[in-house]
Amino acid sequence: MLTFQINFVRYMQGVRTLGADQKLFIKDLCFGKVPVRIYQPKAPSSSQRRGVMFFHGGGWTLGSVGKITNTHENLCRSLARESDSVVVSVGYRLAPEHKYPAAYEDCLNATIHFMRNTEHYGVDPARISVCGDSAGGNLAAAVSQTLAGRSDLPKLRAQILIYPHLQALDFNLPSYQQNQGVPLLFRERAAFFALQYLNGDTSHMEEVLEGSHIPIDIKLNYKKWVSPDNIPEKFKARGYKPYVLLDCPTVVYETMKRFCEPNLSPLLAEDAVIQQLPESFILTCEFDVLRDDGLLYKKRLEDNGVRVTWYHLEDGFHGIMNFSNSDWMSFSSGERGLNNIVNFLKSL
């Protein structure tokens, strides 16, 4: 049923597109083999602009620059217009046809290409940021970690993570329990999308949801980073029931072990990598299963001396940013989130 929904949503994404923008040049290109859509302000600039690599959400299975959803199109246009930045939206390959690490590799390669060709777009190479929502936030965090160790490229100026999906070890954190049935991302769908990206095999979804897909010794090793103990108590007020650690059959772990790779679960990166990361902006929503991923990463970054700007939407839900500047539905909290992202970009 969920696989059918993926195909249906992909079809609907191509039904309606937005027209020209009076303030932006919008052009579809390819960076190597990766399709991208570039949004450049038309107004002349006396200096080089900021550059923003944008990785769209959609559970690694939905969205593209050819049939990019109107919601992400609106978001990219708004970011470019309001922050006076050049935004590059990346049409990475989608799961399950293209499994991990295809999406990550496309986003990384597109970012490197842009870094090496900024002069063609009037962008300051020292002011390039990566940005993404949901699965796109996962990709932005993974790309940021990879580039942190590169001495042959300019350093990223910032990473902007909008309700990011950052780990697949624990689907029983407080936010998963509290918001398991809250649209737009249900707990079961979060696990489904992660499995689609990993290997396209959802036969062990029950083990993933109950936590028996990773051996206890490995989970205990990562408990210092992935644990309800690291979530502030106020976020457990709506209810949280500690769960018993379950062991994992070897045959299950063999198909799941890549969930422990930082390029798929950036929350699991070593401190030596986290310490090198650029200034960060993290947006979380109270009514979102991924809320605690963002909170845990915020703590990891701050513990390692990385400057973090955190904005929490108390009345927000997963996907709310997709309704920013929408011509049919919008939410004031989503507009506040967009304004905070724009203000952060302007400060860079």
Side-chain angles (χ1 to χ4, degrees):
M1 182 63 182
L2 288 177
T3 302
F4 168 78
Q5 291 176 9
I6 287 176
N7 293 328
F8 177 74
V9 173
R10 285 181 180 176
Y11 168 76
M12 291 302 295
Q13 285 176 352
V15 170
R16 176 174 173 267
T17 57
L18 297 179
D21 191 294
Q22 293 184 344
K23 295 185 178 181
L24 299 173
F25 294 113
I26 301 175
K27 188 174 183 179
D28 291 342
L29 298 172
C30 280
F31 285 176
K33 296 182 179 180
V34 183
V36 300
R37 178 169 290 176
I38 300 180
Y39 307 81
Q40 290 180 277
K42 291 181 178 179
S45 176
S46 59
S47 60
Q48 293 177 314
R49 287 186 162 96
R50 286 173 293 271
V52 180
M53 297 297 299
F54 183 83
F55 312 134
H56 64 79
W60 301 278
T61 66
L62 303 169
S64 73
V65 296
K67 293 181 179 179
I68 192 168
T69 62
N70 285 331
T71 49
H72 284 99
E73 179 79 359
N74 271 324
L75 183 54
C76 289
R77 292 186 183 199
S78 295
L79 290 175
R81 281 195 308 260
E82 302 304 323
S83 72
D84 193 36
S85 302
V86 175
V87 174
V88 180
S89 180
V90 178
Y92 56 83
R93 288 170 291 171
L94 301 177
E97 295 87 350
H98 303 282
K99 301 171 180 60
Y100 169 77
Y104 156 75
E105 290 175 342
D106 286 354
C107 292
L108 176 64
N109 290 333
T111 302
I112 292 173
H113 178 99
F114 187 61
M115 286 178 151
R116 289 175 170 165
N117 294 275
T118 52
E119 68 276 8
H120 299 308
Y121 309 102
V123 168
D124 183 348
R127 292 202 295 166
I128 297 174
S129 302
V130 291
C131 175
D133 68 307
S134 193
N138 168 283
L139 296 168
V143 167
S144 185
Q145 290 181 2
T146 300
L147 294 178
R150 294 283 294 262
S151 58
D152 59 323
L153 294 167
K155 295 294 185 184
L156 283 175
R157 180 62 183 86
Q159 60 174 346
I160 300 169
L161 311 179
I162 304 168
Y163 32 75
H165 190 303
L166 298 173
Q167 59 85 30
L169 267 65
D170 191 346
F171 287 84
N172 289 283
L173 291 168
S175 61
Y176 271 108
Q177 293 188 20
Q178 295 163 357
N179 304 306
Q180 58 182 316
V182 177
L184 297 171
L185 183 64
F186 304 133
R187 174 172 171 263
E188 180 179 332
R189 289 194 181 186
F192 171 82
F193 286 135
L195 287 167
Q196 289 289 301
Y197 182 39
L198 174 68
N199 56 23
D201 180 5
T202 59
S203 62
H204 294 299
M205 192 185 313
E206 183 177 344
E207 288 89 340
V208 171
L209 289 171
E210 71 181 11
S212 62
H213 63 305
I214 302 293
I216 289 178
D217 60 329
I218 294 178
K219 283 187 283 191
L220 290 175
N221 181 54
Y222 288 121
K223 188 177 180 181
K224 57 189 174 183
W225 300 330
V226 185
S227 170
D229 296 340
N230 293 341
I231 304 294
E233 288 301 316
K234 68 178 182 177
F235 291 105
K236 302 173 188 175
R238 288 196 290 122
Y240 166 65
K241 182 179 179 181
Y243 65 98
V244 177
L245 289 178
L246 300 175
D247 210 350
C248 169
T250 302
V251 64
V252 174
Y253 178 60
E254 282 303 310
T255 66
M256 302 286 170
K257 59 185 178 182
R258 298 195 79 181
F259 271 149
C260 296
E261 296 181 12
N263 286 340
L264 201 157
S265 294
L267 188 57
L268 306 185
E270 295 296 327
D271 285 342
V273 174
I274 300 294
Q275 290 165 5
Q276 299 181 68
L277 292 176
E279 183 176 352
S280 304
F281 179 99
I282 297 177
L283 182 141
T284 54
C285 293
E286 179 61 28
F287 300 100
D288 179 9
V289 292
L290 299 183
R291 180 198 68 199
D292 293 348
D293 281 27
L295 295 178
L296 291 171
Y297 205 48
K298 171 181 177 289
K299 183 179 189 308
R300 286 220 62 202
L301 291 166
E302 291 174 339
D303 288 349
N304 282 278
V306 177
R307 183 178 177 182
V308 178
T309 299
W310 172 55
Y311 191 71
H312 183 64
L313 296 176
E314 296 283 358
D315 54 350
F317 55 89
H318 191 85
I320 194 170
M321 297 301 301
N322 293 355
F323 298 99
S324 297
N325 290 332
S326 170
D327 57 2
W328 66 280
M329 182 183 294
S330 64
F331 298 88
S332 60
S333 56
E335 298 301 324
R336 293 198 308 273
L338 176 61
N339 290 339
N340 273 268
I341 294 170
V342 168
N343 289 336
F344 176 78
L345 278 170
K346 287 180 175 180
S347 73
L348 301 177

